[in-house]
């Protein structure tokens, strides 16, 4: 078995189908974001698929075909130092769209990216947020960097097709100067001025979590204190804790969990009820800078049950990755290290995905030592074992998954320092698993039918019984 694709099974879990390089540039750790969009897509498969990138748009279809979809479709955007590439999901293929935002290579550098689509019935607005560093020339011997948050698309009447909306998103931009180097951008919904609004959160090296919300009248984003909405963020900002990564997990019932990891090993965890009131919080410190945190439910179902409690993955720069189990019950008291996770330099990212379609999510981590490892929990225990491991040419920065070609199976997306790798799941394993499920469904139907026949037979027998009267 080759060293770069090791698995505990008889066949590999994934097969690489495409690699898209960033050109002569590299990306940053926060250079990948998935986008759920209800906007239609229209560009046909490009010639020399999947290697071609589209840098101009073909004519759009007539406007009568522009009704948004009922359910959002997932796409993703990857950023290099000065350019964005959108990977647009289509039936049987995907298209790569180059998004030109006028950033000058060598002078501007993208630090982080986030994207979200706001949807109110059929009124759709696409927002793209970038953290940018720009070289500012001083005197002949001196130069420094200026940082800014750039929010694109904060206007009404988004174009009807996703490709159009992304291609023209640079027409409207709001540039917000930042006093310190930004790290990560994320978003969530908050109740502001009696309505739910999208807020962007920016962690920065000044130790403050900055929050930006759009003003209803001016349509410009303004900064509000994050502590007003989330006390844990006020605590972080008061102590000037440099947060490197933050994750917000929303239950479908409106409850929310927030976790943040700091440069000096600080780990914060807080719980919010449906009214947005914080009812529980935890804080500890571990001996390592925290590179990522990820809250997840171990089962594929999002229903909150006793056997589907929240777990937390914490990856570290100089220690093994940790899994905190049942965090709502145990807080940050019980953890277990992922085996071999500290053997390949710093662990930079984490992700969860049901890679073998058994209803249980596996844990994926990516390392600076160019490894992706997939861990599966041993049934009936709290032990994790390595299910699959693959070596890459460059450090692993981000991992995600989505159904990029809309065939019903999610592709694995891995971004490294210099490009994007797209992996397709093992089709034979998928076929075998599907047949198992179909056989189980057929056997269940047969069993239910047999029970129904037995019940009917018993009813008929009861009717036919004649009771003799006793003298």
């Amino acid at each position: 078995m080759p060293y770069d694709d090791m698995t505990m099974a008889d066949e590999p879990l994934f097969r690489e189908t495409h690699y898209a390089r960033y050109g002569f540039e590299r990306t940053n750790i926060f250079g990948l974001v998935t986008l759920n969009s209800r906007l239609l897509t229209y560009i046909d498969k490009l010639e020399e698929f999947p290697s071609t990138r589209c840098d101009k748009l073909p004519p759009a279809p007539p406007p009568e075909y522009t009704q948004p979809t009922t359910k959002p479709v997932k796409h993703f955007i990857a950023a290099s130092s000065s350019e964005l590439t959108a990977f647009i999901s289509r039936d049987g293929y995907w298209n790569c769209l180059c998004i030109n935002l006028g950033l000058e290579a060598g002078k501007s550098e993208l630090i982080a990216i986030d994207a979200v689509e706001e949807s109110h019935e059929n009124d759709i607005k696409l927002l793209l947020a970038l953290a940018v560093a720009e070289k500012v020339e001083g005197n002949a011997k001196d130069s420094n960097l200026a940082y800014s948050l750039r929010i694109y698309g904060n206007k009404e009447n988004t174009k009807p097709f996703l490709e159009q909306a992304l291609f023209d998103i640079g027409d409207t931009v709001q540039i917000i100067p930042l006093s310190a180097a930004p790290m990560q951008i994320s978003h969530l919904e908050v109740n502001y001025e009696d309505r739910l609004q999208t807020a962007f959160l920016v962690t920065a090296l000044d130790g403050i979590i900055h929050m930006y919300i759009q003003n209803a009248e001016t349509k410009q984003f303004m900064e509000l204190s994050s502590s007003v909405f989330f006390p844990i963020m006020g605590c972080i900002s008061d102590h000037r804790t440099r947060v490197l990564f933050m994750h917000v997990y929303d239950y479908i019932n409106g409850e929310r969990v927030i976790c943040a990891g700091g440069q000096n090993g600080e780990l914060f965890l807080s719980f919010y009820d449906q009214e947005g009131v914080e009812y529980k919080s935890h804080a500890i410190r571990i001996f390592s800078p925290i590179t990522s945190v990820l809250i997840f439910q171990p089962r594929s179902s999002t229903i909150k049950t006793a056997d589907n409690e929240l777990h937390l993955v914490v990856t570290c720069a100089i220690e093994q990755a940790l899994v905190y189990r049942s965090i709502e019950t145990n807080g940050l008291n019980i953890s277990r290290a992922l085996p071999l996770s500290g053997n390949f330099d710093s662990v930079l990212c984490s992700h969860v995905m049901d890679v073998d379609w058994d209803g249980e999510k596996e844990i994926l981590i990516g390392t600076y030592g160019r490894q992706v490892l997939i861990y599966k929990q041993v049934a009936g225990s709290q032990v994790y074992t390595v299910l699959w491991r693959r070596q890459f040419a460059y450090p692993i920065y981000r991992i995600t998954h989505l159904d990029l070609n809309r065939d019903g199976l999610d592709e694995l997306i891995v971004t490294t320092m210099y490009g994007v790798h797209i992996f397709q799941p093992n089709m034979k394993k998928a076929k075998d698993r599907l047949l198992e499920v179909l056989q189980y469904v057929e056997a269940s139907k047969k069993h239910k039918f047999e029970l129904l026949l037995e019940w009917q037979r018993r009813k008929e027998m009861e009717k036919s019984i004649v009771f003799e009267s006793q003298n």
Side-chain angles (χ1 to χ4, degrees), residues 245 261-262 267 286 288-294 312-324 338 341 346-351 363-366 398:
F245 201 95
L267 185 60
I286 60 178
S288 172
I290 296 174
T291 55
S292 77
V293 294
L294 178 64
L312 170 67
V313 180
V314 177
T315 63
C316 309
I318 57 177
E319 287 188 350
Q320 296 185 89
L322 302 172
V323 180
Y324 292 85
L338 294 176
S341 58
S346 300
V347 183
L348 298 181
C349 59
S350 57
H351 188 64
I363 298 174
L364 298 81
I365 63 169
R398 279 292 167 265

Side-chain angles (χ1 to χ4, degrees), residues 389-448:
R389 176 165 68 89
R390 181 182 172 94
Q391 180 174 302
F392 291 75
Y394 300 103
I396 312 300
Y397 278 178
R398 279 292 167 265
I399 305 172
T400 190
H401 74 278
L402 69 154
D403 188 2
L404 193 57
N405 58 2
R406 306 189 193 180
D407 64 350
L409 296 173
D410 285 354
E411 279 71 39
L412 175 66
I413 312 298
V414 178
T415 63
T416 65
M417 184 183 290
Y418 288 102
V420 179
H421 298 259
I422 299 176
F423 290 84
Q424 190 173 45
N426 187 307
M427 289 301 180
K428 183 179 182 302
K429 288 182 176 292
K431 176 184 174 182
D432 293 343
R433 179 59 180 162
L434 178 59
L435 289 175
E436 287 178 10
V437 173
L438 292 176
Q439 289 170 0
Y440 174 80
V441 171
E442 189 63 29
S444 298
K445 288 181 178 180
K446 183 178 179 182
H447 181 62
K448 290 179 180 179

Side-chain angles (χ1 to χ4, degrees), residues 62-316:
E64 59 263 26
Y65 297 101
T66 58
Q67 188 71 16
T69 60
T70 304
K71 295 182 179 180
V73 176
K74 186 175 287 188
H75 316 269
F76 76 92
I77 303 173
S80 67
S81 295
S82 62
E83 64 179 9
L84 298 181
T85 302
F87 290 74
I88 308 299
S89 168
R90 293 280 287 168
D91 292 336
Y93 62 97
W94 63 86
N95 286 320
C96 296
L97 179 66
C98 183
I99 305 173
N100 185 5
L101 298 178
L103 299 176
E104 185 178 343
K107 182 178 180 181
S108 301
E109 182 172 356
L110 286 171
I111 299 174
I113 177 175
D114 192 29
V116 60
E117 182 179 276
E118 293 184 335
S119 180
H120 304 285
E121 296 181 353
N122 288 333
D123 182 17
I124 295 176
K125 182 169 64 175
L126 190 63
L127 295 172
L128 178 65
L130 304 179
V132 178
E134 280 191 299
K135 290 183 179 179
V136 178
E137 298 298 333
N139 54 45
K141 297 182 179 180
D142 193 18
S143 66
N144 56 2
L145 294 174
Y147 303 102
S148 63
L149 173 67
R150 303 188 179 195
I151 303 177
Y152 297 83
N154 53 337
K155 61 179 181 179
E156 303 295 335
N157 303 320
T158 295
K159 296 292 181 67
F161 291 98
L162 179 60
E163 294 95 336
Q164 292 176 318
L166 289 172
F167 201 78
D168 296 337
I169 201 168
D171 293 346
T172 304
V173 59
Q174 178 185 353
I175 301 177
I176 303 173
L178 300 176
S179 59
M183 295 301 296
Q184 181 200 19
I185 309 175
S186 57
H187 68 269
L188 43 63
E189 283 192 337
V190 296
N191 195 331
Y192 178 68
E193 296 182 341
D194 298 324
R195 63 189 181 98
L196 286 177
Q197 297 191 53
T198 298
F200 286 108
L201 298 173
V202 180
T203 64
L205 293 186
D206 59 2
I208 300 175
I209 299 178
H210 303 269
M211 173 183 284
Y212 299 91
I213 296 179
Q214 192 173 30
N215 185 285
E217 295 181 359
T218 65
K219 305 302 180 184
Q220 296 292 296
F221 279 81
M222 57 185 181
E223 184 171 4
L224 297 178
S225 174
S226 58
S227 62
V228 175
F229 301 90
F230 308 104
I232 190 68
M233 296 186 189
C235 177
I236 292 171
S237 299
D238 289 344
H239 290 85
R240 292 297 189 266
T241 303
R242 293 180 173 183
V243 171
L244 301 182
F245 201 95
M246 184 165 55
H247 184 221
V248 179
Y249 185 92
D250 288 326
Y251 277 113
I252 57 176
N253 65 357
E255 296 180 9
R256 174 173 284 166
V257 186
I258 298 177
C259 185
Q263 188 179 49
N264 295 321
E266 305 93 340
L267 185 60
F268 301 91
L269 180 66
S270 59
F271 298 83
Y272 295 82
D273 61 20
Q274 296 173 345
E275 303 300 322
V277 178
E278 182 179 289
Y279 64 88
K280 190 190 317 184
S281 65
H282 307 273
I284 62 171
R285 175 174 288 181
I286 60 178
F287 186 69
S288 172
I290 296 174
T291 55
S292 77
V293 294
L294 178 64
I295 305 165
F296 73 99
Q297 289 180 277
R299 296 186 183 275
S300 296
S301 171
T302 58
I303 299 175
K304 186 177 181 181
T305 59
D307 61 346
N308 198 22
E309 291 187 316
L310 289 180
H311 298 345
L312 170 67
V313 180
V314 177
T315 63
C316 309

